[in-house]
Amino acid sequence: MTKSIKDLLSNFIPQEYTWKKTLLEHWEEIIGPLNKNVTLLKITYEKIYLGVSHPAWAQELHLLSPMLKKKINAYLKKDYIKEIRFSVVNGSSQKQTGKKQDNSLQNKATKKYTLTNKEKEMLKKFSDTDLQTLFGDYFVKCKQMKEGE
């Protein structure tokens, strides 16, 4: 007889924490269309940590956090959530700590990639300027990938 992970988890989660399971299972329904930009990262006793796709989202949702708390707690039918914390996460859902980044990472992020004279000469062979731009961007992207960005 096979059991789903959901069924197995219900046997291991103490009764006083089943609200956390409910929050996880129904997160998309609770958060609604914001789901594209907001991820549930962590649930503690009275606090949730949300990952957002952009610092502007963090600011906006921080201002709306009382309303968001009210909506979440209404769904859970009890005031479990007392505080919401936000952090910006990158596309791979890795949490960024908000600590000052290593200088080498900052340098990579701001480093400008330019085409060599040889590459520029190669691009001039294309009569179509859109094609020149496309391949120029491709060369730059290759350089970024080679650097490991």
Side-chain angles (χ1 to χ4, degrees):
M1 177 165 106
T2 61
K3 287 188 175 184
S4 70
I5 292 175
K6 181 178 165 183
D7 293 334
L8 291 172
L9 282 177
S10 63
N11 295 329
F12 292 107
I13 298 174
Q15 192 63 29
E16 64 267 19
Y17 298 120
T18 55
W19 67 270
K20 292 180 180 184
K21 182 178 155 225
T22 301
L23 184 59
L24 281 170
E25 289 174 343
H26 299 278
W27 178 248
E28 290 182 19
E29 182 181 336
I30 295 167
I31 202 70
L34 293 175
N35 189 46
K36 294 175 186 170
N37 298 301
V38 182
T39 306
L40 183 59
L41 296 175
K42 182 178 176 181
I43 306 170
T44 63
Y45 182 66
E46 295 181 333
K47 197 181 301 182
I48 60 172
Y49 296 83
L50 301 179
V52 294
S53 60
H54 191 273
W57 278 105
Q59 179 66 27
E60 188 72 26
L61 290 172
H62 175 72
L63 296 172
L64 296 172
S65 61
M67 187 173 69
L68 192 54
K69 276 190 291 189
K70 188 176 180 179
K71 182 176 182 179
I72 293 168
N73 288 326
Y75 192 91
L76 297 172
K77 298 181 177 121
K78 190 171 178 183
D79 288 343
Y80 289 110
I81 304 301
K82 307 283 189 235
E83 185 178 350
I84 301 176
R85 297 256 177 116
F86 300 94
S87 52
V88 178
V89 294
N90 63 18
S92 62
S93 299
Q94 293 175 337
K95 186 177 177 184
Q96 294 194 6
T97 61
K99 295 180 184 174
K100 205 170 192 178
Q101 288 184 337
D102 183 299
N103 284 339
S104 64
L105 292 176
Q106 288 178 342
N107 290 340
K108 280 185 180 179
T110 58
K111 184 175 181 179
K112 300 282 187 219
Y113 292 92
T114 57
L115 298 175
T116 64
N117 287 335
K118 184 177 179 180
E119 291 167 335
K120 289 177 184 175
E121 287 300 316
M122 288 173 50
L123 291 175
K124 287 181 183 177
K125 294 179 182 178
F126 295 104
S127 58
D128 186 341
T129 56
D130 289 338
L131 201 52
Q132 285 178 355
T133 303
L134 180 72
F135 275 102
D137 292 345
Y138 175 73
F139 286 152
V140 169
K141 185 69 174 173
C142 289
K143 289 180 180 189
Q144 289 173 339
M145 292 174 66
K146 187 175 180 181
E147 291 277 330
E149 286 191 10

